[in-house]
């Protein structure tokens, strides 16, 4: 972080505190630090007040440990669930002293299989955020919880007298059986009430396409482990959605099987804006939104899909269709978020033609309690508010004042509602418009349940005590409205008692909590394709079009206050701490624009300004507008970062909208990007081989230095570039595990980011359709490390197991080691981050580093020590795979292998024997312990 300018006034991170606190627990902000520290402190501080008060009972740990006097299991791990788009992903949460310190994937859960993504890793950051709401508010002022209870009792009386007329309940998408049941009870008791669901990332067109094709809300769930040919029509299964971790694992499983058999599966992607899936495609086709439907029709026609209203033509359609037809039932077509309903229907029709149901794809019921067009649901709520029909409005966990399309006029209509209540983690945009605000428990603090993308149910249990007794979840608020208060746990238990019965309930309940899975996946359905399923979409006129998309870091904006996500470089642009209007290099050249030129964007009479950023592989004549920027409330980390694309989004929540007008303002606002930081362009850092090919093995180089002896273990790592999808889960996991600080936007702009693990991105080929390779780069732990002989105080040294270590007490900050590192993986700590990180959320196994020292990857040495200690206590040797680094554990494709090179049977030794193994910059003679497997080039589709 950057220091704050002298004389900057104190500002509390707690919105309920108006004056500087006198208590010793306050985080002091030295007067000489500049504004970045004040802004970033929200996420770096991870407030110590979180987890101090609240219920004296948390959930059941995965592995029971002896409990301390206060009943808390020391170092316990809990199985629970975190939601994405309202759908659950199973996780394991490691705690220490009652505080959650690390999120990892649950191997038993089908949606994660032991992996995580950036959003899940950042959950501990939001849990301990100091700006979280901690007080019930009325008209912006803190009040007692009793006043809220009285207000809800009065509302209940008024609504009962009218049969519920005037009550509107707005939630996000609900897959929770318990919340769905309680909402149903409210609607039954108050029949005039209405329930609305809102999600800025809702894919209403997917629902329309399923209804057109089958007449019921089903979802096509691909099994990429069995697919030999995949066509993605605007879909990004490896990078987006609640099933992405499972899809990524399945994809690399199928690809690994293909490498063994000599028949790699083919991945084709047609999209406007580059995605992670497109980056790994064997053939990627940039398409303007106007070309999407003709292309899909051309492929469907070449496959022989019957009943098409019209056919199109595309030069690559026949070859792709031939590859799909050759794979038959082991091929699948996936339509993505933002594609029109007709493309979703065409995808269903092509899958039926291929016969892939039950093989490379399953048709499953929606995991949501009530699938509906959420754009229409929100629009009907706004219309009712504008007409004065809404007297009581409960906004539970949603923020439409920010993320509803501005053209809808939500904020203006809401001002006509006499009683409004917002439930949320923060005092955000919608909370400022409501008469009442209620702090919500964090997902890691409260009870609940959820279903995965495939319908598998999971019970959510608290892993830490809540932040005060005023926090209430959706179930508690609705039960108060019913006049029958119930706790979250009691409500969840009631749901599952009804489902399982009383016999053996306690045992089954305990098993579900410990395992993190409460049942089986949904049973596939097999509806027949309906007559008249093909309903051509409205033609998209040519010309400049706006393409709205979730930001790769902060998604729709709810995660904009997580500094880990703000500072993590976006995989395909390197942008941090903001967003930009993305467009093709050819389009930028035609408009006379370069990176950082500010443009005014106009759509539907609304305007915003944004910097532009050319992206290789982007479709021409369209501009991608990432959502999630321009937050106006909720905390200093997210406020004002980037531009607000919702200001341009049409009222129907469209994803690809023609008629965009763009005008250069003549100003420059260069986004902060790590695009040129530390990359090794012009070297042999990335190797690509043909299928079945190998990298030539160089002879072992001579050295004046003796080899380091490793009589016990010799730790090493291999990273498979053919498996890496560039998702950055490894980098955020490293940050969470090792207390890696956030540097802030000013420091990153100067090249002073602190990430111990970076993911480089390399393009191969032209700007219109380049091939892309991602390369995670941690410390190489070189056996002949160039950093060691140049250190004047011997602060960087080797241990007997081959680890290149840093003795921070010796380091005097000369930075000679960094200058001598050819891989540029060492980070100099320009600021003292220890005070900000010395909170319950930090990992106590990793010491905090003082200002003025070098930091770097340690192969998670503390995990090695812990595993060795456990083995010693049990009187045995370390087992292969017993030590997992944080990056290895998080990776959804298992691209990282770590272990003992002295063990010839270890997984890492076997992987090193692969013909694709090579050392990055191996010609320098550094003999790195971290090596890579070359990426395997895909095959072109037949003509």
């Amino acid at each position: 972080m950057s220091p704050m300018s002298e004389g900057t006034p104190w500002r509390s991170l707690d919105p309920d505190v108006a004056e500087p606190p006198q208590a010793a627990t306050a985080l002091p902000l030295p007067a000489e630090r500049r504004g970045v520290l004040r802004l970033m402190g929200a996420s770096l501080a991870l407030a110590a007040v979180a987890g101090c008060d609240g219920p004296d009972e948390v959930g059941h740990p995965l592995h029971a440990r002896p409990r301390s006097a206060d009943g808390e299991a020391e170092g316990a791990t809990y199985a629970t669930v975190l939601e994405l788009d309202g759908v659950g992903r199973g996780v394991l949460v490691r705690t220490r002293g009652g505080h959650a310190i690390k999120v990892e994937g649950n191997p038993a859960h089908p949606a994660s299989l032991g992996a995580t993504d950036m959003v899940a890793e950042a959950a501990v950051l939001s849990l301990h955020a100091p700006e979280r709401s901690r007080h019930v508010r009325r008209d912006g002022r803190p009040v007692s919880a009793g006043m809220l209870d009285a207000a809800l009792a009065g509302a209940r009386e008024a609504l009962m007298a009218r049969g519920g007329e005037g009550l509107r309940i707005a939630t996000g998408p609900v897959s929770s059986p318990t919340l769905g049941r309680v909402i149903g009870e409210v609607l039954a008791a108050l029949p005039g009430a209405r329930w609305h669901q809102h999600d800025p990332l809702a894919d209403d067109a997917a629902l329309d396409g399923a209804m057109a094709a089958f007449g019921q809300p089903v979802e096509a769930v691909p099994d990429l482990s069995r697919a030999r040919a995949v066509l993605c029509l605007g879909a990004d299964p490896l990078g987006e959605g609640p099933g992405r971790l499972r899809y990524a694992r399945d994809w690399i499983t199928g690809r690994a099987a293909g490498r063994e058999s000599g028949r790699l599966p083919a991945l084709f992607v047609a999209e406007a804006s580059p995605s992670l899936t497109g980056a790994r495609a064997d053939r990627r086709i940039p398409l303007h939104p106007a070309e999407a439907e003709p292309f899909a029709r051309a492929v469907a026609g070449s496959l022989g899909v019957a009943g098409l209203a019209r056919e199109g033509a595309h030069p690559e359609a026949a070859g792709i269709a031939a590859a799909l037809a050759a794979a038959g039932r082991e091929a699948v077509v996936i339509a993505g978020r933002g594609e029109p309903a007709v493309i979703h229907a065409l995808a269903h029709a092509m899958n039926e033609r291929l016969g892939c149901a039950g093989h490379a794809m399953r048709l499953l019921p929606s995991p949501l309690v009530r699938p509906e067009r959420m754009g229409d649901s929100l629009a009907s709520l706004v219309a009712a508010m504008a007409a004065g029909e809404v007297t009581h409005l409960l906004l539970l966990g949603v923020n439409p004042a920010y993320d509803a399309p501005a053209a809808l006029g939500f904020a203006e209509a809401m001002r006509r509602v006499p009683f409004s209540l917002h439930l949320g983690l923060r005092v955000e945009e919608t909370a400022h418009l409501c008469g009442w605000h209620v702090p919500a428990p964090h997902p890691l603090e409260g009870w609940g349940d959820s279903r995965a993308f495939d319908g598998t149910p999971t019970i959510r249990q608290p892993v830490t005590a809540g932040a005060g007794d005023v926090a209430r979840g959706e179930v508690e608020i609705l039960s108060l409205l019913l006049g029958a208060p119930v706790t979250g746990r009691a409500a969840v238990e009631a749901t599952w008692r009804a489902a399982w019965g009383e016999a053996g309930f306690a045992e089954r309940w305990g098993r579900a909590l410990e395992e993190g899975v409460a049942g089986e996946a949904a049973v596939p359905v097999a509806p027949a394709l309906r007559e008249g399923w093909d309903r051509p979409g409205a033609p998209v006129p040519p010309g400049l079009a706006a393409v709205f998309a979730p930001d790769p870091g902060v998604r729709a904006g709810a995660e904009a206050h997580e500094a880990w996500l703000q500072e993590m470089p976006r995989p395909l642009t390197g942008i941090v701490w903001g967003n930009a209007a993305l467009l093709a290099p050819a389009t930028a050249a035609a408009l006379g624009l370069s990176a950082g030129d500010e443009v005014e964007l106009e759509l539907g009479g609304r305007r915003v300004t944004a910097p532009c950023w050319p992206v290789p592989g982007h479709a021409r004549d369209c501009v991608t507008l990432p959502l999630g920027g321009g937050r106006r409330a909720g905390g200093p980390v997210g406020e004002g970062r980037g531009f607000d694309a919702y200001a341009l989004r049409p009222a129907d929540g469209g994803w690809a909208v023609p008629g965009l007008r763009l005008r250069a303002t003549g100003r420059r606002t260069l986004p902060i990007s790590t695009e040129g930081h530390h990359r090794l362009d012009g070297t042999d850092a990335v190797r690509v081989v043909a299928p079945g090919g190998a990298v030539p093995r160089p002879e072992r180089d001579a050295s004046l230095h003796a080899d380091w002896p490793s009589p016990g273990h010799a730790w090493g790592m291999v990273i498979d570039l053919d498996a890496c999808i560039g998702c950055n889960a490894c980098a955020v996991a490293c940050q969470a595990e090792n207390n890696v600080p956030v540097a802030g936007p000013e420091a990153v702009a100067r090249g002073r980011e602190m990430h111990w693990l970076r993911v480089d991105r390399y393009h191969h080929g032209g700007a219109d359709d380049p091939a892309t390779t991602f390369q995670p780069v941690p410390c190489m732990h070189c056996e002949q490390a160039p950093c060691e002989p140049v250190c004047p105080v011997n602060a960087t040294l080797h241990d007997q197991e081959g680890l290149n270590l840093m003795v921070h007490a010796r380091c005097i900050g000369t930075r000679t080691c960094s200058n001598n590192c050819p891989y540029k993986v060492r980070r100099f700590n320009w600021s003292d981050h220890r005070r900000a990180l010395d909170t319950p959320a930090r990992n106590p196994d990793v010491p905090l580093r003082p200002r003025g020292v070098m930091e770097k990857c340690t192969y998670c040495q503390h995990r090695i020590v812990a595993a060795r200690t456990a083995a010693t206590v049990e009187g045995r040797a370390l087992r292969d795979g017993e030590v997992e680094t944080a990056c290895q554990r998080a990776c959804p494709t298992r691209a990282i292998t770590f272990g003992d090179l002295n063990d010839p049977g270890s997984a890492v030794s076997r992987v090193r024997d692969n013909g694709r193994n090579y050392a990055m910059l191996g010609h320098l003679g550094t003999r790195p312990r971290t090596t890579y497997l070359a990426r395997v080039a895909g095959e072109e589709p037949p003509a």
Side-chain angles (χ1 to χ4, degrees):
M1 280 185 205
S2 304
M4 201 159 51
S5 60
E6 188 171 357
T8 300
W10 183 93
R11 177 187 174 188
S12 171
L13 295 173
D14 187 341
D16 299 323
V17 178
E19 298 296 332
Q22 303 301 318
T25 55
L27 290 174
L29 297 179
E32 67 272 12
R33 299 207 175 264
R34 289 201 301 260
V36 172
L37 180 56
R38 181 182 62 196
L39 295 176
M40 296 305 98
S43 56
L44 289 177
L46 306 179
V49 295
C52 294
D53 303 311
D56 57 6
E57 180 182 0
V58 293
H60 290 243
L62 183 68
H63 303 293
R65 300 276 185 90
R67 293 182 175 264
S68 59
D70 60 0
E72 171 62 35
E74 296 294 334
T77 297
Y78 295 85
T80 186
V81 64
L82 294 171
E83 290 189 340
L84 192 74
D85 299 341
V87 180
R89 298 163 301 153
V91 297
L92 303 179
V93 183
R94 194 168 76 241
T95 66
R96 186 66 65 86
H99 301 290
I101 61 173
K102 183 67 171 64
V103 172
E104 294 181 332
N106 184 352
H109 196 276
S112 62
L113 297 181
T116 54
D117 55 26
M118 294 194 300
V119 177
E121 291 283 352
V124 293
L125 202 63
S126 59
L127 171 66
H128 296 288
E131 75 275 14
R132 272 187 58 191
S133 175
R134 315 228 176 244
H135 302 278
V136 176
R137 289 168 169 259
R138 182 177 183 181
D139 297 329
R141 296 178 178 274
V143 297
S144 69
M147 293 182 65
L148 170 67
D149 296 343
L152 287 174
R156 176 177 178 272
E157 292 181 6
L159 289 168
M160 290 293 289
R162 299 196 304 269
E165 290 291 339
L167 173 62
R168 295 291 188 273
I169 301 168
T171 68
V174 175
S175 68
S176 165
T178 296
L179 180 55
R181 174 180 63 80
V182 174
I183 291 175
E185 292 174 359
V186 172
L187 299 180
L190 303 170
R194 296 292 181 269
W195 172 29
H196 304 267
Q197 293 180 92
H198 165 60
D199 181 5
L201 301 183
D203 193 359
D204 291 343
L207 178 62
D208 292 343
M211 296 300 294
F214 304 116
Q216 54 182 288
V218 298
E219 296 188 2
V221 176
D223 184 351
L224 300 183
S225 67
R226 304 176 66 179
R228 291 195 295 112
V230 181
L231 171 60
C232 293
L233 300 172
D236 184 16
L238 305 184
E240 256 299 310
R244 59 186 177 184
L245 296 175
R246 176 60 180 268
Y247 295 152
R249 178 67 63 83
D250 287 350
W251 171 77
I252 194 56
T253 299
R255 191 166 176 85
R259 287 197 300 264
E260 293 294 328
S261 66
R263 298 175 59 192
L264 281 175
L267 175 60
F268 310 108
V269 177
E271 61 188 3
S273 185
S275 67
L276 292 185
T277 305
R280 293 312 319 264
D282 301 297
R283 183 70 182 97
R284 182 180 172 276
I285 305 165
L287 288 181
H288 186 279
E291 303 171 311
E293 183 178 343
F295 172 79
R297 289 187 175 279
V299 176
S302 298
L303 275 176
V305 173
L308 292 178
R310 67 172 189 266
E311 296 184 7
H314 191 278
E316 304 207 46
I320 293 174
L324 294 172
R329 65 184 188 179
E330 294 179 327
V332 64
V333 180
I334 310 171
R337 176 165 28 212
E339 297 302 313
V342 61
I343 290 183
H344 286 273
L346 283 165
H348 288 305
M350 284 188 271
N351 286 331
E352 183 177 74
R353 174 65 177 171
L354 293 167
C356 62
H359 299 279
M361 183 270 293
R362 292 173 293 165
L363 283 175
L364 297 178
S366 171
L368 300 183
V369 172
R370 190 180 75 180
E372 64 177 339
R373 286 185 52 86
M374 296 188 192
D376 291 349
S377 182
L378 183 64
S380 67
L381 172 60
V382 172
M385 292 191 299
E389 299 172 1
V390 181
T391 60
H392 294 76
L393 175 63
L394 304 183
L395 295 155
L396 307 180
V398 291
N399 187 21
Y402 163 70
D403 55 26
L408 200 59
F410 180 89
E412 294 79 2
M414 185 179 161
R415 292 188 174 95
R416 303 195 60 183
V417 179
F419 180 97
S420 55
L421 181 147
H422 172 261
L423 174 72
L425 290 174
R426 302 169 182 268
V427 183
E428 50 196 6
E429 292 85 348
T430 301
H432 285 293
L433 297 178
C434 288
W436 290 88
H437 165 74
V438 182
H442 190 274
L444 298 180
E445 293 173 339
W447 289 92
D449 49 18
S450 185
R451 292 192 182 276
F453 73 100
D454 65 352
T456 302
T458 303
I459 295 173
R460 187 178 75 239
Q461 60 176 331
V463 306
T464 184
D469 59 0
V470 298
R472 287 160 166 74
E474 293 96 333
V475 168
E476 287 89 345
I477 291 292
L478 293 173
S479 67
L480 285 171
L481 192 64
L482 283 172
V486 65
T487 65
R489 174 167 184 160
V492 175
E493 282 192 348
T495 299
W496 293 100
R497 282 184 189 278
W500 296 337
E502 287 291 343
F505 173 79
E507 180 182 354
R508 190 168 183 179
W509 171 263
R511 188 167 62 250
L513 292 180
E514 290 195 4
E515 296 177 356
V517 177
E520 302 295 328
V523 177
V525 296
L529 198 67
R530 302 172 67 192
E531 293 289 336
W533 60 269
D534 183 23
R535 302 172 184 173
V540 179
L544 205 60
V547 178
F548 296 93
D551 182 86
V554 302
R555 305 190 76 244
E559 290 82 19
H561 302 293
E562 316 307 336
W564 291 350
L565 305 183
Q566 287 280 13
E567 192 156 298
M568 189 55 55
R570 307 315 187 249
L572 294 167
T573 64
I575 291 176
V576 300
W577 291 106
N579 56 10
L582 312 179
L583 69 171
T587 303
L591 296 172
L593 300 172
S594 60
D597 286 347
E598 187 182 80
V599 295
E600 182 184 75
L601 303 163
E602 181 181 352
L603 187 66
R606 298 178 178 272
R607 298 181 180 86
V608 298
T609 58
C612 71
W613 191 266
V615 179
H618 200 288
R620 300 189 182 197
D621 297 326
C622 56
V623 180
T624 296
L625 305 178
L627 303 172
R631 291 297 303 268
R632 302 178 295 278
V637 172
E639 291 176 17
R641 306 293 174 188
F643 71 96
D644 182 8
Y646 293 108
L648 293 183
R649 203 172 187 191
D652 63 358
W655 291 92
V657 186
L660 179 69
R661 300 178 63 184
L662 183 151
R663 180 184 65 84
T665 66
R667 298 185 294 270
R668 284 184 60 78
T669 310
L670 191 65
I672 301 171
S673 173
T674 63
E675 181 79 3
H677 296 186
H678 315 303
R679 280 161 45 107
L680 303 176
D681 289 300
T683 70
D684 62 350
V686 168
R687 303 283 187 94
V688 181
V689 298
V695 176
R697 294 290 180 93
E699 293 184 6
R700 183 175 173 85
D701 57 274
S703 175
L704 296 177
H705 298 281
D707 291 340
W708 285 98
S710 297
H713 302 290
W715 302 109
M717 177 179 287
V718 178
I719 303 175
D720 188 353
L721 300 186
D722 199 52
C724 179
I725 59 174
C727 66
N728 278 331
C730 56
V732 183
C734 172
Q735 188 164 22
E737 178 73 19
N738 294 291
N739 302 325
V740 176
V742 171
E746 291 183 6
V748 176
R750 300 170 69 180
R752 295 180 176 178
E753 63 268 26
M754 293 297 298
H755 296 130
W756 290 6
L757 169 63
R758 72 177 191 267
V759 181
D760 290 342
R761 186 263 305 133
Y762 294 93
H763 286 317
H764 318 281
D768 286 340
D769 184 23
T772 304
T773 299
F774 297 102
Q775 184 176 46
V777 186
C779 176
M780 298 290 110
H781 290 274
C782 306
E783 293 184 12
Q784 302 293 343
C787 57
E788 294 177 9
V790 298
C791 180
V793 293
N794 200 30
T796 177
L797 47 82
H798 247 68
D799 75 354
Q800 63 180 1
E801 296 183 342
L803 299 183
N804 178 256
L805 304 177
M806 276 298 305
V807 181
H808 295 117
R810 294 180 186 171
C811 183
I812 59 175
T814 62
R815 290 174 283 157
T816 52
C817 59
S818 179
N819 292 336
N820 223 39
C821 174
Y823 306 101
K824 301 307 173 190
V825 292
R826 305 175 76 88
R827 302 287 174 260
F828 185 67
N829 193 333
W830 292 88
S831 299
D832 190 351
H833 304 287
R834 290 176 299 172
R835 180 184 300 141
L837 279 170
D838 195 11
T839 64
R842 73 175 179 89
N843 185 355
D845 295 330
V846 181
L848 301 180
R849 285 74 60 186
R851 177 182 180 180
V853 302
M854 277 292 168
E855 301 188 17
K856 57 175 284 297
C857 160
T858 66
Y859 274 168
C860 290
Q861 185 192 24
H862 58 285
R863 291 192 173 199
I864 298 174
V865 171
R868 182 190 296 117
T869 301
T872 301
V873 169
E874 297 173 11
R876 58 173 177 81
L878 275 175
R879 307 184 187 98
D880 182 40
E882 192 169 355
V883 180
E884 285 187 302
T885 62
C887 57
Q888 174 191 17
R889 180 64 186 271
C891 180
T893 61
R894 309 302 288 174
I896 301 174
T897 306
F898 178 79
D900 184 4
L901 295 174
N902 278 349
D903 177 4
S906 67
V908 70
S909 295
R910 296 195 303 271
V911 173
R912 272 212 172 193
D913 288 338
N914 190 301
R916 294 187 289 123
N917 185 67
Y918 73 96
M920 182 167 64
L921 306 184
H923 62 280
L924 298 179
T926 59
R927 300 179 187 171
R929 284 284 182 88
T930 299
T931 59
Y932 294 88
L933 297 186
R935 179 173 172 177
V936 180
E939 300 178 359
E940 290 291 320

